Amino acid sequence: MLSAISRSALSTYRGLWLPAQVAVRAMSSSGGPGSPYTSLAISQPAEFITHVELNRPEKRNAMNKAFWSEMVDCFNAIAGDPDCRVVVVSGAGKLFTAGIDLMDMASDVLQPEGDDMARTSWNMRRIIAKYQDTFSVIEKCPKPVVVAVHGACVGGGVDLITACDIRLCTQDAWFQVKEVDIGLAADVGTLQRLPKVIGSRSLVNELALTARKMYADEAKSSGLVSRVFADKEAMLAGALEIAGEIAGRSPVAVQGTKVNLIYSRDHSVAEGLDYMATWNMSMLQTADVMKSAQASMEKKSPKSIVFSKL
């Protein structure tokens, strides 16, 4: 099953040699009985890399009530964890996610509390804002997030992946903005982020208004994903390789890069440059710059440098 990975070379992560096959097996491990999460499995397949796995395979990783709060708790913890420099997100089982668990979520979405229309509406707005935070927390996390999609990525799955920094998929992956098929407009991130991920506004409109499926080749050509892999095992090995490259760089540089990329996406070039100048007037005063320059002059890999935790 993992033959494609076993043929790959050993991967290096800051002096730690870890066979890619062993790493992928570690990525697929469960959270265990002591895990604080019921919908997620968390593991550390290599140094400074955290793997977050959607872990309801028997329910096609459908997003139940626990998921919406656990993702917030998980990524808030990751944001403050100095032993994590990069995150890989994937789905357990046969597919990435079937989207929202309608049976479990119906009471929140269809029967909000309130004594009159105004109070009911206020409560509905609060619920929607809470669900939006589930994916915004990924974007706000300063650690880069690599998402690896196999099989179906439906509805809320598209909201999730568009909040991530690097998107990968398998050849059998497909994506669907499903919300119009269930009588609502997508309201937790897809309509806001997908237009900034895919360059064609016409294509975004088509996907959102028709709920048609987008398959891997079109996802690659449109820019939704940056790489397509033959199968899940090869994809997880590729995700781990990318994560290892990121984890081997200065965390000051990496986290500053993510923060400024997102800021520049939502502001003018002039505003982005001004923010960058303000950011680096303090962030350049780090030992990481001298360490990295020295390694470059000595023709050493950045992964050979021991950076302080952040």
Side-chain angles (χ1 to χ4, degrees):
M1 183 178 181
L2 298 177
S3 58
I5 298 162
S6 62
R7 292 194 295 269
S8 65
L10 295 177
S11 302
T12 298
Y13 302 103
R14 286 194 69 247
L16 174 64
W17 287 84
L18 187 67
Q21 185 174 357
V22 174
V24 172
R25 284 174 178 165
M27 291 179 73
S28 300
S29 63
S30 68
S35 173
Y37 308 116
T38 60
S39 66
L40 307 172
I42 314 300
S43 60
Q44 188 175 32
E47 189 175 21
F48 297 124
I49 300 174
T50 298
H51 179 217
V52 177
E53 186 177 43
L54 310 188
N55 194 37
R56 299 183 73 218
E58 73 287 354
K59 296 293 186 180
R60 301 188 299 169
N61 295 323
M63 299 170 176
N64 62 351
K65 288 181 181 179
F67 168 85
W68 296 91
S69 59
E70 289 179 357
M71 282 287 285
V72 175
D73 294 340
C74 175
F75 274 89
N76 281 337
I78 286 171
D81 182 4
D83 289 317
C84 174
R85 293 182 181 173
V86 59
V87 184
V88 174
V89 176
S90 70
K94 296 182 179 180
L95 51 82
F96 183 69
T97 179
I100 188 172
D101 188 332
L102 288 172
M103 296 299 293
D104 191 63
M105 303 293 294
S107 60
D108 273 2
V109 176
L110 301 180
Q111 298 175 325
E113 296 179 353
D115 293 334
D116 57 27
M117 181 62 72
R119 288 167 177 80
T120 300
S121 298
W122 272 105
N123 285 329
M124 189 73 255
R125 189 182 193 281
R126 176 183 53 80
I127 291 169
I128 294 171
K130 176 184 175 183
Y131 292 159
Q132 289 174 345
D133 287 343
T134 297
F135 303 129
S136 292
V137 73
I138 299 173
E139 192 171 80
K140 293 174 183 176
C141 176
K143 319 297 174 67
V145 180
V146 181
V147 65
V149 178
H150 72 290
C153 178
V154 179
V158 180
D159 294 294
L160 190 162
I161 69 168
T162 53
C164 297
D165 303 294
I166 298 172
R167 289 168 293 277
L168 314 174
C169 77
T170 56
Q171 191 62 55
D172 69 349
W174 53 273
F175 307 84
Q176 186 177 25
V177 184
K178 183 71 171 173
E179 283 79 355
V180 293
D181 276 354
I182 57 173
L184 58 91
D187 56 5
V188 291
T190 289
L191 301 186
Q192 292 69 41
R193 295 188 178 99
L194 189 59
K196 298 187 177 184
V197 170
I198 296 177
S200 170
R201 172 71 68 165
S202 177
L203 178 57
V204 171
N205 292 349
E206 179 187 345
L207 294 171
L209 294 170
T210 67
R212 77 163 174 85
K213 296 177 182 178
M214 170 187 275
Y215 293 93
D217 289 343
E218 186 181 8
K220 173 69 162 57
S221 65
S222 69
L224 179 60
V225 301
S226 54
R227 299 190 194 181
V228 177
F229 295 84
D231 52 41
K232 182 180 180 181
E233 290 74 26
M235 176 183 64
L236 290 177
L240 187 63
E241 180 181 2
I242 293 171
E245 291 296 325
I246 295 170
R249 267 64 182 181
S250 159
V252 173
V254 167
Q255 293 182 39
T257 296
K258 173 171 178 173
V259 169
N260 279 274
L261 280 171
I262 292 175
Y263 184 90
S264 293
R265 180 198 66 187
D266 298 330
H267 295 79
S268 70
V269 172
E271 290 170 328
L273 288 170
D274 184 63
Y275 190 81
M276 187 77 251
T278 303
W279 183 275
N280 262 1
M281 73 182 189
S282 57
M283 292 300 112
L284 285 177
Q285 300 180 62
T286 172
D288 293 11
V289 173
M290 292 303 298
K291 289 180 179 180
S292 299
Q294 183 68 29
S296 179
M297 288 188 290
E298 296 175 359
K299 301 187 184 303
K300 295 180 180 178
S301 167
K303 290 184 282 188
S304 67
I305 306 170
V306 177
F307 294 109
S308 298
K309 294 181 179 181
L310 178 63

